[in-house]
Amino acid sequence: MLQRPAYRKALVLSGLIGIPVSLIAFWFLAALHELDHLIWVTWPHHLGWADPPWWWPLPWALVSGVSVALIVLRLPGAGGHIPAAGLHAGGMTKAALPGVVLAALSCLPLGVVLGPEAPLIALGGGLALLFRDLVRAPATEAGNNLLGAAGSAAAISAIFGNPLVGAILLMEVAGVGGPQLFAVMLPALLASGVGAIVFTGFGDWTGLKIDSLKIGLPRPPVLDTGDVVWAVAMALAIGLLIHYIQVIGRHTAVFVPARTLRNTVMCALAAAGCAAAYAGITGRSPYDVASSGQTTLEQLASDPHAWSVGALVAVLAFKSVAYAISLGSLRGGPVFPSLFLGGAAGALLAPLPGLGLVPAMAAGMAASSAAALRLPVSSVVLVVLLLGNSDTVPVVVLAAVVAFVTTELLPPGPRIPDLRPPRPLRTPRP
């Protein structure tokens, strides 16, 4: 394929397109971050509150619900894919770009329990096609798919901070290799995880050493039997939790189009009500629930003892409900809320006998992301890079595979309706 001139031209064009797409994705994420900080930190402080009051999410939810409903009804592309359907690559058009950007700005900084990864994928794919037309490159179906995937990968790498995650994620999302990819990779992934556990345990028992790729980074305590057993049990439970969250999201997606404006606003207010109830019960900030979870996950990982058992139980319960409602009614991505739920579940269960905090949170995040995305390889790579060490990789692999298999064997729930209007049929000329 590299000997074909057309492919070499597409490869060069993909590299060139990555420059403006990455710059626009950077400023898009910067705008989301600044708006989020303005609404949830700056304005409450100026009004005299250390944290936003319990009712703070409600008016922003009203704004978000009305805005998203009008975007879905009036703009091409319906504001992007419904998050309950998972991540998608392809199918993006230039005309849909304004709706995707406006829907993301109307949701993500205003307390919707979704992440920015799905809008980034759509934004990158649409921008790649736009720049393709600006340079007057030939438009073919294969070229559109190639450039769209390249643009999406360039944009998504900005949020994960690593090009490897973007490339692997888009490979699985785009379905490269079809079902054969999962049929081959899943057994290989599981076998490699089990093999790593055997090597770790047998080496610790015998005291013998074998050559392996290590560069001297600090390492957590050696994994033991308790870590492995509890990781598998956690993966089953978290896989079930995330699966039924998605099923509720699919039911919500079926409910909303009957009366889009009214139902979208109702769902947005219901999700905000979860954040308000959490703040009223625990005395903590409603932002713990009313956010993607990216910032809150960092706080939880750095100081898990700042959270009481009651606060962890409450945030798991209320954020799960708000996440399920947001998946079917608003716009964003499913990655970061699922990562937070997995990390919070791991922190809650870490005191179990034989289980440590690091393997518990690693297994929880791997299980939740694999169950939410149905992309086991991407979930493993993402969690390993987030943790920053390789000693928990066996537990991460086991948890991801167990959660993925669990969710795949369960009924998926109702089919999500297509909100895009059908193309008008051409009338034949007389």
Side-chain angles (χ1 to χ4, degrees):
M1 187 176 293
L2 288 173
Q3 294 177 355
R4 299 177 183 175
Y7 182 80
R8 292 199 297 268
K9 291 179 182 178
L11 197 61
V12 173
L13 183 59
S14 297
L16 295 176
I17 282 176
I19 298 173
V21 168
S22 300
L23 290 173
I24 294 174
F26 172 83
W27 289 112
F28 174 72
L29 289 173
L32 291 178
H33 174 77
E34 293 301 320
L35 285 172
D36 184 89
H37 191 269
L38 180 70
I39 292 171
W40 296 95
V41 177
T42 303
W43 284 351
H45 285 182
H46 286 172
L47 293 173
W49 293 301
D51 290 318
W54 66 268
W55 51 266
W56 190 259
L58 297 173
W60 298 114
L62 181 62
V63 174
S64 179
V66 172
S67 302
V68 171
L70 293 178
I71 290 169
V72 170
L73 292 172
R74 303 296 182 189
L75 293 182
H81 296 290
I82 299 175
L87 294 180
H88 291 275
M92 185 63 184
T93 62
K94 297 176 294 182
L97 278 174
V100 169
V101 174
L102 290 175
L105 293 174
S106 301
C107 286
L108 303 181
L110 304 187
V112 172
V113 190
L114 294 169
E117 58 281 352
L120 275 174
I121 289 176
L123 179 66
L127 286 173
L129 299 181
L130 177 63
F131 289 121
R132 189 253 349 250
D133 290 346
L134 289 178
V135 299
R136 298 180 179 179
T140 63
E141 183 178 357
N144 290 347
N145 293 336
L146 180 64
L147 292 179
S152 297
I156 201 68
S157 297
I159 187 63
F160 293 127
N162 193 292
L164 182 61
V165 179
I168 294 177
L169 184 68
L170 263 296
M171 179 185 71
E172 287 194 288
V173 169
V176 178
Q180 290 83 2
L181 176 68
F182 289 105
V184 173
M185 287 303 299
L186 202 61
L189 192 64
L190 178 60
S192 63
V194 172
I197 290 174
V198 172
F199 270 66
T200 301
F202 198 75
D204 184 61
W205 172 56
T206 61
L208 300 175
K209 301 296 181 182
I210 59 172
D211 291 332
S212 61
L213 181 61
K214 294 190 178 183
I215 57 176
L217 292 176
R219 56 183 298 179
V222 177
L223 297 174
D224 55 23
T225 305
D227 295 326
V228 176
V229 173
W230 285 121
V232 173
M234 285 175 55
L236 283 169
I238 293 173
L240 289 171
L241 172 65
I242 298 297
H243 172 76
Y244 285 107
I245 286 174
Q246 291 185 319
V247 170
I248 295 173
R250 286 176 170 268
H251 282 286
T252 306
V254 174
F255 162 75
V256 166
R259 296 189 62 177
T260 301
L261 179 60
R262 184 200 68 181
N263 293 347
T264 304
V265 172
M266 285 175 55
C267 290
L269 289 174
C274 292
Y278 165 81
I281 292 172
T282 64
R284 296 179 60 90
S285 171
Y287 188 73
D288 292 349
V289 170
S291 66
S292 68
Q294 182 179 0
T295 303
T296 318
L297 180 60
E298 295 176 3
Q299 297 170 356
L300 176 64
S302 61
D303 188 13
H305 301 291
W307 296 66
S308 65
V309 173
L312 287 172
V313 172
V315 78
L316 278 169
F318 286 109
K319 199 175 187 74
S320 294
V321 176
Y323 180 37
I325 295 171
S326 300
L327 281 173
S329 57
L330 300 166
R331 294 297 182 269
V335 176
F336 286 106
S338 65
L339 282 172
F340 176 81
L341 291 175
L348 178 64
L349 299 175
L352 289 170
L355 184 62
L357 177 66
V358 174
M361 290 191 67
M365 290 190 292
S368 59
S369 59
L373 300 180
R374 311 295 174 93
L375 306 174
V377 180
S378 298
S379 300
V380 169
V381 173
L382 173 60
V383 173
V384 169
L385 291 175
L386 285 176
L387 294 174
N389 68 73
S390 60
D391 293 279
T392 53
V393 171
V395 165
V396 169
V397 170
L398 275 182
V401 172
V402 170
F404 173 76
V405 172
T406 300
T407 53
E408 284 293 312
L409 293 177
L410 295 172
R415 181 181 177 274
I416 294 177
D418 189 0
L419 299 182
R420 293 171 297 181
R423 296 180 180 178
L425 297 175
R426 294 182 179 180
T427 55
R429 293 183 178 181

